[in-house]
Amino acid sequence: MSRHKTLADALESEVLTEMAGTFFGARKMLDNLLEDFQLLVEDVRAREAKVYSRVCYMRSLLLGPEGEAAFFAELGIAPPFADSCSHSGSRTWHPDSLPFAFFVGTRYVMAVLQAYAEVRHTCEVYMAGEYEDDPDQSGRKRLSPHYRLIERHCARLNERIEKLNTEMTPSSVLQFARDIGSADQPGQGLLANSLGAESLDNSLKFQKIDFAALGLWKAPALPPVEACEQAIRSFCSGYYKQNGPQIKKVLADLG
């Protein structure tokens, strides 16, 4: 065997090895990214419960769904948490303490304001995140996983999937490999076509992520307390006059 033939074989082997590494490496990396994405989705999904627990607490102050609907109607908002307690699980959040006031009616108004502020805050955190302790790096902070992060990751992954499916198809890689070795074995360069390039590519292509199919709950954008405080105070004052005994019992149970 001539030195030129030996060198050609070595170069061919190196090219094929590098090509295979690039092809399978890119697919493995995308597989890993998709697995990480699914873990992120489950993390955000679990954070829904934190919002729902606050909603159910506020609902208890408003004496149930009807009071909650009337409350949001006063704010000019369609009830945004109609199905919240079906997601809340068995645990409902309570504040460490209720606001202090000399009169029960005033205390009730302040308690509802406190509850609404907490609901709005947890909705914002669910959608946009907040800084929290990093579980992987002691002493450091990270932005918590959140809904909009899932949206961005989904878009980026779909771009990557499109690029990989288009620019690194299995049939083109196989065709290239056959073309390199076809000089000594005529006809092998057409093997990809005989296998059905389109069928091969379709069977091995990555599927794009359907964001809607993830079924993630989207928290409502509630107005800040400052923008609706007067409406909340007005509603609670009237609601307390109508339902004083029940409200007193709820507040007494909360301590």
Side-chain angles (χ1 to χ4, degrees):
M1 183 179 293
S2 69
R3 291 175 57 191
H4 293 297
K5 175 63 174 173
T6 302
L7 178 59
D9 288 345
L11 288 173
E12 178 183 324
S13 177
E14 183 177 346
V15 169
L16 289 174
T17 299
E18 183 176 343
M19 180 182 65
T22 300
F23 176 74
F24 290 110
R27 294 180 71 86
K28 177 60 176 174
M29 182 177 294
L30 184 53
D31 273 330
N32 291 341
L33 289 173
L34 289 170
E35 288 179 8
D36 290 344
F37 176 76
Q38 190 57 46
L39 291 174
L40 188 63
V41 169
E42 294 308 316
D43 190 336
V44 171
R45 198 189 308 280
R47 292 170 188 260
E48 295 176 24
K50 186 174 182 179
V51 181
Y52 296 143
S53 68
R54 271 69 173 172
V55 171
C56 287
Y57 167 68
M58 185 173 71
R59 180 174 289 174
S60 72
L61 291 176
L62 297 169
L63 307 180
E66 291 184 4
E68 179 189 352
F71 172 81
F72 281 110
E74 183 74 17
L75 303 186
I77 303 171
F81 305 108
D83 62 345
S84 62
C85 281
S86 66
H87 296 82
S88 64
S90 59
R91 301 182 64 182
T92 298
W93 174 85
H94 296 94
D96 293 333
S97 62
L98 291 175
F100 173 78
F102 287 109
F103 300 104
V104 179
T106 304
R107 194 182 194 203
Y108 176 67
V109 172
M110 294 173 67
V112 174
L113 281 167
Q114 178 193 50
Y116 175 82
E118 184 68 21
V119 168
R120 182 179 184 274
H121 173 69
T122 52
C123 282
E124 286 191 320
V125 170
Y126 174 83
M127 292 300 295
E130 69 177 348
Y131 283 100
E132 63 181 16
D133 292 335
D134 190 333
D136 298 322
Q137 299 186 61
S138 178
R140 300 195 65 177
K141 297 286 186 180
R142 68 165 189 179
L143 190 63
S144 62
H146 53 277
Y147 184 94
R148 293 196 181 106
L149 180 65
I150 297 292
E151 282 187 315
R152 292 196 295 270
H153 276 15
C154 182
R156 290 169 185 164
L157 278 171
N158 281 339
E159 289 176 3
R160 190 161 188 154
I161 289 170
E162 176 67 23
K163 184 178 177 67
L164 187 66
N165 285 341
T166 303
E167 299 181 5
M168 199 177 289
T169 61
S171 65
S172 65
V173 173
L174 180 59
Q175 184 69 55
F176 181 71
R178 294 297 177 182
D179 287 344
I180 289 179
S182 63
D184 294 334
Q185 303 178 56
Q188 282 205 25
L190 302 176
L191 184 57
N193 289 331
S194 68
L195 291 174
E198 184 176 351
S199 176
L200 177 66
D201 293 341
N202 286 336
S203 66
L204 294 177
K205 74 178 181 180
F206 284 91
Q207 298 299 317
K208 288 186 177 181
I209 302 166
D210 182 348
F211 183 81
L214 296 175
L216 281 176
W217 175 71
K218 186 174 183 179
L222 298 175
V225 175
E226 298 77 16
C228 56
E229 181 174 353
Q230 190 55 48
I232 292 175
R233 287 183 177 276
S234 175
F235 172 84
C236 290
S237 295
Y239 201 61
Y240 178 77
K241 290 178 182 177
Q242 297 171 13
N243 303 280
Q246 292 172 272
I247 291 172
K248 286 179 181 179
K249 184 178 185 307
V250 170
L251 294 179
D253 290 342
L254 291 171

